Amino acid sequence: MQILLQAAALVPASIPSPDWSGFDIPLPWGTLRIHAYALCILAGIVVGLWLTSVRWAKRGAPEGSVWDIVVWAIPFGIIGGRLYHVVSSPDAYFGPGFDGTGDLSLIPQIQRGGLGIWGAVVLGAVGAWIGCRRSGVKLSAFLDAAAPGLLLAQAVGRWGNYFNQELFGGPTTLPWGLQIDADNPNFPAGTPADTLFHPTFLYESLWNLAGVVLLLALDRKFNFRRSRLFWLYAMYYTLGRVWIEAMRIDDAEQIELFGITTRLNVWTSIFVFLAALVAFILLGMKKRTERDSVYLPGREPEKLAAPAEAAAAGDDVRDPDPVVSDSESRDNLPDNQNGSRRASVPTEEAAAAPAGSTPGPDATASGKSGSTATGTAPEAGATK
């Protein structure tokens, strides 16, 4: 017990403020500052792309197509994320009440922080659509493959807020309260220097990691298609974002709806959740009329084109059983239900016939091979 008490005493009663926010690279004309925030965003992109590429390959997508898509999606997503942040928190850029006292030069300075996820998702999806069209694959299929990876990227990238000491929650006395430097511009004025705050970056990171596990488990069980997993991701993320966003105390655009005034991001999360729920239900009710493929119609490889055309014509296209083939299952049936027997299975008459003889009419009538026996068993290569 004494050892446990000593170990508990060593555990910090709060999350310390970071004493590192990046490093400088010396250049002939000065220095290049590499911010920790940017490194977190980059790390999130890397791990998210890794998970997405693994899932995309398992769905039968053309090799290398994931890179052809993300080369459009990532730049569009960064631009969209920045634009949404500027719109949702405009005071620093346009001044309070758009009085012109802001600094417009701050808008492109992403390294200072400020990327809105919904702008990133919307414009990122536009970029992904361009990449998908160029690669000949369906956007809906890519969104389903990318949904868990997108949530994983957000879980890692959210730590950039920790290094920037921003977007924290209200004061708390919990043992995992977050320390913020009293001289930091984001420290609330008039608050005691030793005040601890809710680490909302940590809450959201853990929420997202749990969501990655949940999405992967549900997709494994239900095999979601037609972007249903993506809409499930949107519902899960917004469900957590509502209560996490409501805890924050940083300046944000306030919107009044239905007699309730709250942050713009809260209302956005609520409406996105409702839209995602409707889309998920409607797509689930829609009967699947086409073959499950990641390719756009007419862009399938030749080996997939014929089954796709047959499915479009209304033919019954069945997926082969990976365990038991049709020919093997017929051999296990009684003779009167079999219909035909594989040529590689010698009959008693053929085995007993002398060399050079021809099977009698009874053998032919019963569905057995009518070829001339050579005194040896038929070769396995004759099996179809």
Side-chain angles (χ1 to χ4, degrees):
M1 179 61 69
Q2 186 67 25
I3 296 177
L4 293 176
L5 292 176
Q6 292 177 353
L10 296 176
V11 176
S14 63
I15 301 175
S17 60
D19 55 4
W20 179 84
S21 61
F23 59 92
D24 295 321
I25 299 178
L27 297 173
W29 54 86
T31 59
L32 174 63
R33 180 68 175 173
I34 304 298
H35 292 263
Y37 179 88
L39 294 178
C40 291
I41 297 297
L42 181 60
I45 292 174
V46 170
V47 296
L49 279 179
W50 165 77
L51 182 56
T52 298
S53 61
V54 171
R55 288 174 49 80
W56 189 232
K58 287 183 177 180
R59 297 205 171 194
E63 184 177 359
S65 61
V66 65
W67 308 110
D68 298 330
I69 298 171
V70 300
V71 74
W72 291 90
I74 291 177
F76 273 65
I78 293 176
I79 294 173
R82 187 58 174 178
L83 291 177
Y84 181 86
H85 168 75
V86 171
V87 172
S88 60
S89 302
D91 289 358
Y93 313 102
F94 305 101
F98 296 90
D99 59 6
T101 60
D103 187 356
L104 294 178
S105 66
L106 296 176
I107 293 179
Q109 298 183 36
I110 299 178
Q111 71 275 7
R112 293 176 175 267
L115 290 174
I117 182 59
W118 299 122
V121 170
V122 172
L123 271 192
V126 173
W129 175 79
I130 296 174
C132 287
R133 297 292 297 183
R134 293 170 64 90
S135 300
V137 295
K138 298 175 182 176
L139 175 62
S140 60
F142 180 76
L143 291 178
D144 281 337
L150 181 57
L151 202 54
L152 179 60
Q154 291 173 242
V156 176
R158 184 54 72 183
W159 280 81
N161 298 140
Y162 168 70
F163 290 102
N164 275 5
Q165 300 192 49
E166 61 182 1
L167 303 184
F168 43 85
T172 181
T173 57
L174 293 172
W176 55 81
L178 175 66
Q179 296 179 15
I180 299 295
D181 293 334
D183 58 352
N184 188 285
N186 295 321
F187 193 89
T191 305
D194 59 350
T195 302
L196 301 179
F197 302 90
H198 278 287
T200 51
F201 80 92
L202 180 61
Y203 298 161
E204 186 168 331
S205 182
L206 295 176
W207 176 268
N208 291 347
L209 288 176
V212 173
V213 176
L214 178 63
L215 289 182
L216 292 176
L218 291 176
D219 192 38
R220 183 182 181 90
K221 181 176 180 59
F222 298 104
N223 193 28
F224 291 113
R225 291 295 187 270
R226 294 176 295 172
S227 75
R228 295 190 76 205
L229 188 67
F230 174 80
W231 293 115
L232 193 61
Y233 145 79
M235 283 190 288
Y236 177 85
Y237 178 73
T238 52
L239 189 64
R241 186 64 185 267
V242 167
W243 64 268
I244 294 173
E245 186 73 25
M247 298 178 67
R248 292 177 177 170
I249 58 175
D250 56 287
D251 293 333
E253 189 74 8
Q254 300 289 321
I255 302 295
E256 181 180 357
L257 290 175
F258 312 110
I260 301 174
T261 301
T262 188
R263 298 160 69 95
L264 172 61
N265 285 333
V266 173
W267 286 119
T268 302
S269 297
I270 292 173
F271 290 131
V272 171
F273 175 87
L274 294 175
L277 177 62
V278 171
F280 182 83
I281 294 175
L282 292 179
L283 288 171
M285 296 172 59
K286 183 179 178 181
K287 184 178 180 181
R288 186 178 299 181
T289 58
E290 59 182 8
R291 185 177 182 272
D292 184 22
S293 171
V294 302
Y295 292 93
L296 290 169
R299 302 291 293 273
E300 302 93 342
E302 292 183 1
K303 62 181 180 180
L304 297 178
E309 293 174 359
D315 296 337
D316 184 16
V317 179
R318 296 184 302 164
D319 293 330
D321 191 318
V323 179
V324 180
S325 66
D326 290 341
S327 59
E328 291 173 339
S329 62
R330 284 195 297 267
D331 284 337
N332 294 329
L333 294 174
D335 289 342
N336 61 348
Q337 299 180 19
N338 202 344
S340 63
R341 186 184 298 272
R342 293 184 299 169
S344 60
V345 182
T347 61
E348 295 179 1
E349 291 85 354
S357 63
T358 304
D362 292 339
T364 305
S366 62
K368 300 176 177 58
S369 174
S371 61
T372 303
T374 60
T376 60
E379 297 179 1
T383 304
K384 295 183 180 179

